[in-house]
Each structure stands twice: as structure tokens, then as C-alpha cells.
């Protein structure tokens, strides 16, 4: 039991013009079969109109310990949100 | 349940880390694969998710038994779709387990060698077509009881797999009830088959929830970690309360002379299954343990040349692609 098929990550675009979204992973010997397996495993009920398969080994992920440096700086930048600004009622919807 | 008697490990990590981890779980946060987790949490989850995955895969066998003998083309298509779903559910769960650092081959090997278990229910035979109805109605019904709360389990990949599974599982139960309804409303002989199926699957279905709470030694830690959400007895009671009226509608009799409505607890009183039988089936002495395991072993070893062949082809094609690229440069 040494010759295990490599792992692939599967991304599916749903019906409504949304982004491809990660739905899970599977094992397959190559890209062509990964695509076929993805179709069988993840789209049995019309879940998608498009599939991406990516070798899991090719994905670079952020580490949990990077959460602070990566994401905390956004916390004190409230001015990036539209609700930071008061628009006078007289101006109407903006 | 699909994961019965999952042995939980004692945690012996740094108390401060453990406390922080427990605080995250108590706050309802999801634990993700790369996050720190106690070794015992990881091991217990691999065991639980693995057992759950194995159950989905082995669970194909009792139903696959009837695909070629389904009474109509429609029923055959439905059963094929259901059995294919079970394979899919097994795959979602294997992937969730693999995020914890175990390999697929390792999980497979542990199933085939008998070191990992699957649910006791799949060691019972499907003798008649009515059994296929009983499996959907009762076995999938019992599975749903357990799987719906597991959508809120603390480990992210497991919870997400459960969300996908629950979406599909409702079809399984409904097609089973629909099937057994047809039988129960059919000829006297068909009705007798439906009753016989209920008689044989009732207690094994109750066993799916695992031993009584007073004998369930692994529950406390698993519940604190939110990898088990309800106790075995809670879920069993819920299942009985849900199923008794459904049997009544069919005009079938639940095979329990102690079944009695209890106003005080607003639920049914019922007989416990024979726990000696349960432990015996887990030990490997159920009616179909040997068949089930040897079917999986045969499928795995018969498929080896094919799996290896595809891998060899993929490697050669990749080498050719690289060589062509180098030549072009």
C-alpha cells in the first residue's frame, strides 16, 4: 500500500455566477481523472457549472500563527468602511 | 451510531494550552487542521471520522446486494443513486480524516485488518426487498439523528463534511419510507415482508446509538470537545419517538411488547436492545461480519493492478510532458 494516488483540492462554481469555491478534496492519479472524480463526488445534484482541480501539494497556505500579523492591521482601519462617514440626511442616499 | 464506542484518549498536554483550546471550543470556534490541538483530540477524531467513513463504505454492501434485483427500473435507479451517495459520503469523511495527518491508505489498511470498526448495523443481512425500505427508513433515519447535530461539531472539516452529507441523507430516508409504504399497502404477502423487515431491523437500529449512557465510558471527554453533541440515550429516545408514529401510519407493529407512551417524559418507554448481541457483533460475530470484510478485502486487492496501472500511466505521461518541454526550450 505504498503507491497512493496524490491528493487534489476541488473548487466548484455554483449556478449563480459566484466564484469557484473550495468544496473538498479527493485522490486521483492525474488531472484528467481528478476532474472525473470531482464530477462524481461533488456534483451529483447540479451543484456546479464549472470545476477546478488543483494538486494539494501546490497550495501555499497561511499558518495559524500568522493570523495576527496578517489580519489584525485591518482592525483599526475603520475608515475603510462606508459606515465610517456621516452623510447629511439632506443629501439623500449615497 | 455510524461511529460507536469510539475510545477517547486521555489528554496529557500542557495544561495552559489545553485550557486555551477548551476555551476556543466553548466559545463555539471551529478548530481547523493547522491549528494546535491536543494529541488526544486528534487521535480520537481520526478514530471517529475513520469509523464513520468506513461505515459509509461498508454500508454500500447490504444495499448493493439488491441493485440487480430491484423490482422496477425506477427503484433500481433510486437505489443506485443512494449507494453512489454512500460512496461519496465515505469519501468526504476520509478527506476530513486525512486533514488530521492520517493517510487514506492507512485508514483503508486499518479497516481491512479489522483494527478499525464500522457500524454494527451493516453486519446484518438484507434478506428481502422490504429490507431495503427498512434500511432507508430506520438505518438512515437513525444516522440522521446523529449527523444533524454533528454539523456543529468543533472540527471544521468534519462539520463541513456533515453539512454535505445531511443535505443528501434526507433523500435516503424518504425513499426507504416510500418503498416500505408501498410494501405495507400491498398484498398480504408484501405486508408480511414489511413487518418482517421491521422485526429484524428494529433492535439493530436501536443499537446504532451505542450503549446506554451509564455504560458509555468515552462520552464525557468527547462531549466536552464537541465531537459528540448528544448522549446515546437522548438520541435513541428521539429516534423511537419519531419512528413509532411512522410505523403506526404503515399499519406495522414495532416488535416491543413494552412499548408504551409515557406522559411524564412526553415520549415512549421501550425495551433496550440485547447488548450482549451488540458486543458480540462488534467483536466480529454478527451474521455478516466475515462477508462484509472479505468483500472489502477482495475489492481492494482485485483493484490493486488498476490503481497501480493508472499511477504508472500518470507518471509516464508527466515524464513525457517534462521531456517535451525541455526539448522545446
Amino acid at each position: 500500500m505504498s503507491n497512493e494516488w496524490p491528493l487534489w483540492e476541488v473548487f466548484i462554481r455554483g449556478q449563480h455566477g459566484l466564484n469557484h469555491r473550495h468544496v473538498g478534496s479527493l485522490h486521483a492519479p492525474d488531472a484528467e481523472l481528478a476532474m472525473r472524480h470531482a464530477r462524481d463526488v461533488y456534483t451529483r445534484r447540479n451543484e456546479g457549472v464549472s470545476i477546478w482541480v488543483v494538486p494539494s501539494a501546490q497550495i501555499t497556505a497561511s499558518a495559524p500563527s500568522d493570523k495576527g500579523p496578517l489580519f489584525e492591521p485591518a482592525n483599526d482601519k475603520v475608515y475603510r468602511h462606508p459606515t465610517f462617514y456621516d452623510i447629511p440626511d439632506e443629501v439623500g442616499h449615497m | 451510531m455510524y461511529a460507536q464506542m469510539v475510545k477517547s484518549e486521555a489528554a496529557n498536554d500542557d495544561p495552559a494550552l489545553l485550557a486555551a483550546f477548551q476555551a476556543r471550543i466553548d466559545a463555539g470556534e471551529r478548530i481547523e487542521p493547522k491549528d494546535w490541538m491536543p494529541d488526544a483530540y486528534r487521535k480520537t477524531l481520526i478514530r471517529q471520522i475513520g469509523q464513520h467513513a468506513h461505515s459509509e463504505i461498508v454500508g454500500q454492501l447490504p444495499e448493493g446486494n439488491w441493485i440487480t434485483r430491484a423490482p422496477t427500473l425506477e427503484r433500481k435507479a433510486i437505489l443506485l443513486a443512494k449507494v453512489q451517495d454512500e460512496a461519496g459520503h465515505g469519501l468526504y469523511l476520509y478527506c476530513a480524516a486525512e486533514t488530521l495527518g492520517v493517510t487514506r491508505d492507512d485508514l483503508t489498511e486499518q479497516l481491512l485488518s479489522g483494527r478499525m470498526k464500522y457500524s454494527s448495523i451493516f453486519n446484518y443481512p438484507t434478506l428481502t426487498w422490504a429490507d431495503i425500505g427498512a434500511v432507508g427508513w430506520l438505518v438512515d433515519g437513525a444516522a440522521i439523528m446523529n449527523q444533524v447535530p454533528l454539523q456543529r461539531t468543533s472540527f471544521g472539516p468534519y462539520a463541513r463534511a456533515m453539512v454535505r452529507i445531511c443535505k443528501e441523507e434526507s433523500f435516503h430516508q424518504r425513499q426507504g419510507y416510500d418503498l416500505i409504504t408501498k410494501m405495507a399497502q400491498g398484498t398480504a404477502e408484501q405486508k408480511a415482508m414489511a413487518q418482517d423487515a421491521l422485526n429484524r431491523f428494529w433492535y439493530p437500529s436501536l443499537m446504532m446509538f451505542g450503549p446506554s449512557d451509564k455504560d458509555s465510558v468515552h462520552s464525557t471527554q468527547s462531549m466536552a470537545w464537541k465531537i459528540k453533541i448528544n448522549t446515546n440515550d437522548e438520541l435513541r429516545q428521539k429516534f423511537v419517538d419519531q419512528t413509532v408514529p411512522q410505523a403506526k401510519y404503515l399499519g406495522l407493529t414495532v416488535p416491543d411488547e413494552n412499548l408504551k407512551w409515557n406522559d411524564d417524559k412526553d415520549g415512549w418507554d421501550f425495551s433496550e436492545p440485547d447488548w450482549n448481541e451488540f458486543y458480540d457483533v462488534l467483536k466480529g460475530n454478527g451474521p455478516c461480519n466475515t462477508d462484509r470484510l472479505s468483500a472489502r478485502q477482495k475489492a481492494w486487492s482485485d483493484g490493486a493492478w488498476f490503481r497501480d496501472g493508472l499511477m504508472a500511466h500518470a507518471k509516464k505521461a508527466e515524464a513525457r510532458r517534462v521531456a517535451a518541454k525541455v526539448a522545446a526550450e
Side-chain angles (χ1 to χ4, degrees), chain B residues 63 82 130-144 172-181 194 197-198 202 205 239 242-250 252 254:
Chain B
E63 293 183 293
K82 178 178 189 298
D131 288 8
I132 297 305
V135 167
W137 170 36
L138 301 172
V139 175
D140 290 293
I144 290 170
H172 296 180
Q173 190 186 15
R174 291 175 70 134
Q175 65 82 34
Y177 193 70
D178 180 68
L179 192 167
I180 209 159
T181 304
L198 174 58
W202 176 254
S205 299
F239 173 75
Q242 172 190 286
T243 310
V244 168
Q246 294 168 351
K248 218 165 240 170
Y249 173 83
L250 295 174
L252 299 180
V254 173

Side-chain angles (χ1 to χ4, degrees), chain B residues 181-199:
Chain B
T181 304
K182 292 280 185 312
M183 301 284 289
Q185 295 170 349
T187 63
E189 202 185 352
Q190 286 172 323
K191 186 169 182 186
M193 279 166 80
Q195 180 63 54
D196 175 56
L198 174 58
N199 291 350

Side-chain angles (χ1 to χ4, degrees), chain A residues 36-55:
Chain A
R36 290 193 196 194
H37 290 178
R39 180 256 185 200
D40 287 344
V41 178
Y42 291 107
T43 65
R44 288 192 303 280
R45 288 176 175 78
N46 275 327
E47 286 90 341
V49 293
S50 165
I51 303 174
W52 290 349
V53 289
V54 183

Side-chain angles (χ1 to χ4, degrees), chain A residues 53-84:
Chain A
V53 289
V54 183
S56 307
Q58 295 293 320
I59 291 192
T60 308
S62 64
S65 55
D66 292 339
K67 234 195 302 198
L70 285 177
F71 307 118
E72 271 168 23
N75 288 347
D76 57 6
K77 297 184 175 61
V78 279
Y79 47 83
R80 288 190 166 162
H81 297 278
T83 45
F84 180 71

Side-chain angles (χ1 to χ4, degrees), chain B residues 4 51 54-55 57-59 61-62 110-126 204 207 276-298:
Chain B
Q4 296 156 324
Q51 196 182 112
H54 296 328
S55 299
I57 297 300
V58 176
L61 297 170
Q110 292 197 54
L111 168 68
L112 298 185
S113 68
R115 277 185 296 141
M116 279 181 96
K117 300 286 178 207
Y118 54 88
S119 176
S120 57
I121 190 75
F122 301 117
N123 291 312
Y124 291 87
T126 43
M207 291 178 200
N276 290 329
E277 177 183 322
F278 171 72
Y279 290 114
D280 210 34
V281 172
L282 281 192
K283 257 188 254 153
N285 303 324
C288 298
N289 294 59
T290 313
D291 278 5
R292 300 297 185 231
L293 216 48
S294 60
R296 290 310 307 150
Q297 285 159 347
K298 184 175 183 318

